[in-house]
Amino acid sequence: MKDTVSKPLKSNSKNLKKQSFPVLEMTCAACAVSVESMLKHTEGVKDASVNFANQTALVEYDSTIATTTDLQNAVRSIGYDLVVNVEDPQAVKEEAQRKHYQEIKSRTIWSAVLSVPLVVIGMFFMDWKPGTYVSMLLSAPVVFYFGRSFFVHAFKQAKFGKANMDTLVALSTGIAFLFSVFNTFFPEFWHNRGIHAHVYYEAAAVVIAFISLGKLLEERAKSSTGSAIKKLMGLQPKTVWAIVNGEEKEIPISAVKVGDTLMVRPGEKIPVDGVVISGNSYVDESMISGEPVAVEKKAGEKVFAGTINQKGSFRFEAQKVGADTLLSQIIKMVQEAQGSKAPVQKLVDKIAGIFVPIVIVISILTFITWMVLGGDNAFTHALLTSVTVLVIACPCALGLATPTAIMVGVGKGAENNILIKDAESLELAHKVNAIILDKTGTITEGKPMVTDLIWESNDPYAKQILYALEYQSEHPLAEAVVNKLKEEGIQTTRVDQFESITARGVKASAKGEFYFVGNRKLMTENGVQLSESLTEAAQKLQEDAKTVVYFSNSKNVLAVIAIADKIKATSKAAIDSMQKKGIEVYMLTGDNEQTAKAVARQIGLKHFMAEVLPSDKAEFVKQLQAQGKIVAMVGDGINDAHALAQADVSIAMGKGTDIAMDVAKMTLITSDLNSIPKALNLSTKTVMGICQNLFWAFIYNVIGIPIAAGVLYPVNGFLLDPMIAGAAMALSSVSVVSNSLRLRFAKI
């Protein structure tokens, strides 16, 4: 293994890899802190984040300095393991978790079976002399065989000067058992001093049994927090029908390569991303778009992995396979988000890291205090209370408080078409008080359509010229005009000297006459006249938030074309919902002032800016932040990327550009803006769950440890039994995970 002393990382950013690895053998929050610390101090690692709740490590490292084997060796050196260099790490992790769960289940059952007679002997046959030896024989396998993992892990941690939950359990049960063995074979040592030789075999065994039960329930509950990932993975078929040498052949999905021709039958899941070659059908894409209506697919149409074919069948060419498919990217994003840490978790990790040493110190101080002030039964009480302090202390509840809530929150978001990239944005979103929306593709459909085509005179040849000009134009609005003329059955004609005029439009000649298509400036610069009737029509169309395009010959405007980008049906309701929450909603657009004003009026927006450049959007975000606002930016295009990067919370529309989705911390798979209020509500409920978890985790330890130390003894003579302490400790972790799971059923 390479030197594990961290060195300043000087590397090309291209060499940096960010990868998630399953971690095995972690038993508590302090374990996660140990693994994270070890990875961070491995040469070549820039950053590492270990999540105890979903048992993963998210590592950013320089692939030219550190290898995955180096990372694995570093983790193995302190008694854990990292799953690397396997085809399906998730499957390896799940198999390891299944075996671990079965082991815990087995040791819990056998620990309980052997502990029951121990409790009976301790409660009802305490004066039965052979009972002490029977108890020793029954408790030994519980402590040192079924509880051996506590001692093994504690020893491995101690070698590196670290301590975790296993250290507390090993110390408490080991001391209780060894003290009882001494009293069993040398009772006279205490009798000669007038003290009864107590034994605590049942306490040691029952503590192991209760903690094992708690771990069993905890593992069961934690597996439920990852249900969103399992659902997404369930969308991937295991085998596909490929066309090999003209014949259909069933092959594993792992064997599919880019360029392969695949066959999809009715009712089957589409295995990879691709383009339809032949055949047609309707495909249920609700897992991507959130829309319940099936989408028609024919030659040239794109299809996506995980979506479900309906009645027809078709062949398609594989374009993206394996980790490159949209579904795989969604799964990766959810996994990384569930493994990321909220800012509050970093503080909790620091507390968990020093928690065990502090508890050991408290236990020693408790022992010393009782020895000094305990009177006749000083040693017995000192031992009992110090052991109980070790047993009741629980860093697990603290460690699970934040990540379990984040995992469930991210999973809940994925089920509601909200992909969350990291925990920080989920924690921060509930504080948002200003939201900036891009217009095109965010508030509107992003699909321009011709709404009005007003002709000065009905000239069929002029229509053919318009078709020819717009067909050759590269402007996004030209396609809308072409589609409109196609619907009317207009045929094209030949034009010459075609020229595109930047920021104006296009021109060409036909039969010795020049024709123009473009904006008003193009008409004015070429001395083209506009009739009074067309002037009035153009004015009215602009007032209705429509973009006006003019078509003319060299003398007169022949037609006025109105193009509009339809406002999404849900935009107004979503914006109303956000404004009712007291959030200031702004619309920024590169469109003209008149169009922007009309759109703002239709959707009930008070704040908007028109003719805005991409850099202006980012500057506006800064201005709002300077006023102390927490700003969310919602966009879908390359021109929104700068503003998305600047915003406190960045949200990309799922049908937008790759760069917008790459920069944004949240992605709305559906085009429905109602997902934004849902995302904010999800943040509120997740943060509330984290706060509840942390409160109960802290209050449990704040109250439990002093009671275990015996603070109530001077008041009412109460000393907490180690067995009850073990049960309380186990239940604290289970209660925190259960509280997080409530979020799965919350309405957002």
Side-chain angles (χ1 to χ4, degrees):
M1 188 181 78
K2 292 184 180 180
D3 180 15
T4 55
V5 177
S6 180
K7 296 177 182 175
L9 187 60
K10 293 180 181 178
S11 63
N12 191 318
S13 60
K14 291 180 181 177
N15 297 329
L16 285 177
K17 288 183 72 175
K18 196 172 188 180
Q19 200 169 349
S20 182
F21 303 97
V23 185
L24 308 181
E25 307 293 329
M26 289 197 300
T27 57
C28 73
C31 297
V33 174
S34 296
V35 174
E36 186 173 300
S37 173
M38 206 68 189
L39 285 169
K40 282 182 175 178
H41 286 83
T42 300
E43 186 183 2
V45 173
K46 183 186 178 186
D47 195 21
S49 173
V50 178
N51 188 313
F52 172 54
N54 69 356
Q55 306 278 294
T56 59
L58 187 61
V59 187
E60 190 172 6
Y61 64 100
D62 187 333
S63 57
T64 62
I65 299 173
T67 66
T68 54
T69 306
D70 292 331
L71 304 178
Q72 186 182 52
N73 289 338
V75 172
R76 281 179 172 176
S77 69
I78 53 170
Y80 307 101
D81 200 1
L82 208 64
V83 179
V84 300
N85 303 331
V86 296
E87 189 175 321
D88 190 351
Q90 190 66 27
V92 173
K93 175 188 167 186
E94 287 180 2
E95 178 60 21
Q97 286 178 330
R98 188 190 64 77
K99 285 183 180 177
H100 182 56
Y101 179 80
Q102 291 302 323
E103 286 173 13
I104 297 175
K105 187 176 180 181
S106 176
R107 79 182 186 214
T108 301
I109 292 170
W110 283 107
S111 298
V113 168
L114 293 173
S115 295
V116 170
L118 278 168
V119 173
V120 172
I121 292 170
M123 291 181 67
F124 303 109
F125 301 98
M126 60 189 78
D127 296 325
W128 180 42
K129 212 159 191 178
T132 305
Y133 294 95
V134 172
S135 296
M136 181 179 68
L137 292 172
L138 288 171
S139 64
V142 176
V143 176
F144 297 112
Y145 181 71
F146 298 117
R148 68 189 182 280
S149 62
F150 298 114
F151 294 91
V152 171
H153 287 131
F155 176 72
K156 287 180 178 178
Q157 289 285 306
K159 284 198 300 183
F160 286 86
K162 298 179 183 294
N164 61 8
M165 186 67 214
D166 296 323
T167 309
L168 298 183
V169 177
L171 278 175
S172 59
T173 56
I175 290 169
F177 184 85
L178 293 176
F179 178 68
S180 299
V181 169
F182 179 85
N183 288 356
T184 299
F185 290 104
F186 306 103
E188 301 82 14
F189 179 85
W190 301 108
H191 293 163
N192 294 338
R193 290 162 176 75
I195 301 173
H196 182 70
H198 289 283
V199 293
Y200 298 100
Y201 292 121
E202 79 281 0
V206 172
V207 163
I208 295 286
F210 270 132
I211 292 174
S212 297
L213 176 62
K215 287 287 177 191
L216 184 71
L217 296 174
E218 185 183 303
E219 288 294 323
R220 202 171 186 177
K222 279 197 300 185
S223 67
S224 299
T225 62
S227 60
I229 287 285
K230 289 172 186 171
K231 284 180 184 175
L232 288 170
M233 286 181 167
L235 294 172
Q236 296 175 307
K238 303 297 181 198
T239 60
V240 301
W241 288 98
I243 309 302
V244 181
N245 297 324
E247 295 182 3
E248 290 182 21
K249 184 180 178 183
E250 192 172 15
I251 62 171
I253 192 168
S254 57
V256 177
K257 297 180 180 65
V258 173
D260 285 355
T261 300
L262 307 177
M263 177 77 182
V264 181
R265 295 168 174 171
E268 290 182 344
K269 291 173 184 171
I270 293 167
V272 296
D273 295 0
V275 175
V276 177
I277 299 170
S278 62
N280 60 76
S281 181
Y282 283 85
V283 175
D284 178 0
E285 292 187 341
S286 57
M287 57 78 60
I288 289 175
S289 65
E291 306 296 335
V293 180
V295 181
E296 185 181 6
K297 298 294 178 182
K298 51 191 176 185
E301 297 278 347
K302 289 186 177 181
V303 290
F304 301 97
T307 55
I308 303 170
N309 185 30
Q310 301 283 291
K311 293 180 180 178
S313 62
F314 58 86
R315 292 184 179 188
F316 73 100
E317 180 185 316
Q319 288 193 328
K320 291 183 179 179
V321 302
D324 294 329
T325 65
L326 178 62
L327 179 60
S328 293
Q329 292 298 316
I330 290 171
I331 291 171
K332 183 183 177 185
M333 198 182 293
V334 174
Q335 283 177 325
E336 288 189 358
Q338 289 189 331
S340 64
K341 289 186 178 180
V344 70
Q345 179 63 18
K346 292 167 186 173
L347 173 63
V348 173
D349 281 350
K350 288 180 182 176
I351 295 169
I354 61 171
F355 183 89
V356 174
I358 288 173
V359 169
I360 292 172
V361 170
I362 292 172
S363 178
I364 293 168
L365 290 175
T366 300
F367 185 88
I368 294 169
T369 304
W370 275 99
M371 286 299 293
V372 174
L373 306 173
D376 293 339
N377 295 313
F379 186 84
T380 303
H381 288 166
L383 183 71
L384 182 70
T385 51
S386 59
V387 166
T388 307
V389 166
L390 292 172
V391 170
I392 201 168
C394 185
C396 293
L398 279 174
L400 289 166
T402 303
T404 51
I406 291 292
M407 281 180 70
V408 177
V410 170
K412 181 82 174 175
E415 290 171 7
N416 285 273
N417 299 308
I418 305 163
L419 288 184
I420 298 160
K421 263 193 187 176
D422 67 10
E424 188 170 356
S425 58
L426 181 60
E427 186 184 334
L428 187 61
H430 77 287
K431 295 180 181 178
V432 166
N433 50 21
I435 290 180
I436 298 171
L437 303 174
D438 174 51
K439 179 179 78 72
T440 306
T442 301
I443 292 173
T444 64
E445 296 280 2
K447 297 175 183 176
M449 295 175 64
V450 173
T451 58
D452 302 88
L453 181 49
I454 303 169
W455 292 91
E456 184 71 14
S457 62
N458 191 17
D459 181 357
Y461 182 65
K463 293 179 182 180
Q464 291 178 1
I465 296 288
L466 175 61
Y467 189 119
L469 283 167
E470 290 291 59
Y471 186 78
Q472 292 186 53
S473 173
E474 294 177 353
H475 196 282
L477 298 182
E479 188 180 352
V481 179
V482 169
N483 290 338
K484 176 68 174 175
L485 294 172
K486 266 186 187 177
E487 288 174 10
E488 293 182 3
I490 306 299
Q491 300 294 316
T492 188
T493 190
R494 181 181 171 180
V495 293
D496 302 309
Q497 302 179 54
F498 180 86
E499 182 185 350
S500 178
I501 305 166
T502 305
R504 297 290 187 272
V506 296
K507 75 172 184 176
S509 67
K511 294 183 179 179
E513 176 77 77
F514 272 100
Y515 293 89
F516 303 87
V517 179
N519 57 22
R520 186 67 181 266
K521 284 182 180 178
L522 182 66
M523 303 297 116
T524 304
E525 289 171 359
N526 287 279
V528 175
Q529 299 298 311
L530 183 65
S531 70
E532 190 175 330
S533 61
L534 286 182
T535 302
E536 288 178 6
Q539 182 70 27
K540 187 175 184 305
L541 292 169
Q542 284 178 330
E543 288 173 1
D544 290 338
K546 296 173 182 178
T547 301
V548 175
V549 177
Y550 300 87
F551 170 53
S552 75
N553 56 25
S554 56
K555 296 177 183 177
N556 299 303
V557 172
L558 305 176
V560 169
I561 308 153
I563 301 172
D565 188 4
K566 187 180 176 186
I567 294 171
K568 292 175 186 173
T570 56
S571 291
K572 189 177 189 311
I575 289 165
D576 285 346
S577 172
M578 289 184 274
Q579 290 183 152
K580 282 176 184 176
K581 289 176 180 286
I583 298 170
E584 292 179 6
V585 184
Y586 300 82
M587 179 184 75
L588 302 189
T589 177
D591 215 332
N592 64 71
E593 178 82 17
Q594 210 166 11
T595 302
K597 188 175 182 179
V599 171
R601 185 180 67 248
Q602 289 177 38
I603 58 178
L605 258 185
K606 300 172 187 173
H607 312 287
F608 69 91
M609 288 175 66
E611 298 177 18
V612 178
L613 298 172
S615 57
D616 295 334
K617 291 183 181 181
E619 195 56 42
F620 186 66
V621 173
K622 286 182 186 176
Q623 289 174 21
L624 292 178
Q625 289 171 329
Q627 296 170 23
K629 297 188 184 298
I630 306 297
V631 183
M633 172 70 196
V634 186
D636 73 325
I638 293 172
N639 62 329
D640 300 317
H642 189 183
L644 286 167
Q646 178 63 41
D648 298 294
V649 177
S650 47
I651 304 172
M653 306 303 289
K655 292 182 179 178
T657 60
D658 290 343
I659 191 168
M661 288 187 277
D662 188 50
V663 171
K665 295 298 176 66
M666 291 188 185
T667 298
L668 308 180
I669 301 176
T670 173
S671 59
D672 188 351
L673 279 187
N674 278 317
S675 292
I676 298 173
K678 281 186 179 181
L680 303 183
N681 291 338
L682 178 63
S683 171
T684 301
K685 291 183 184 295
T686 303
V687 170
M688 192 183 299
I690 291 171
C691 292
Q692 291 167 348
N693 288 347
L694 288 174
F695 171 79
W696 289 114
F698 274 112
I699 209 74
Y700 162 80
N701 284 295
V702 167
I703 294 172
I705 291 174
I707 290 175
V711 294
L712 296 178
Y713 187 78
V715 180
N716 56 15
F718 176 77
L719 283 179
L720 188 64
D721 191 295
M723 291 187 291
I724 298 172
M729 191 281 286
L731 288 171
S732 66
S733 295
V734 176
S735 63
V736 163
V737 179
S738 300
N739 186 55
S740 295
L741 286 172
R742 289 193 309 122
L743 183 59
R744 286 175 61 188
F745 309 104
K747 187 178 179 183
I748 61 170

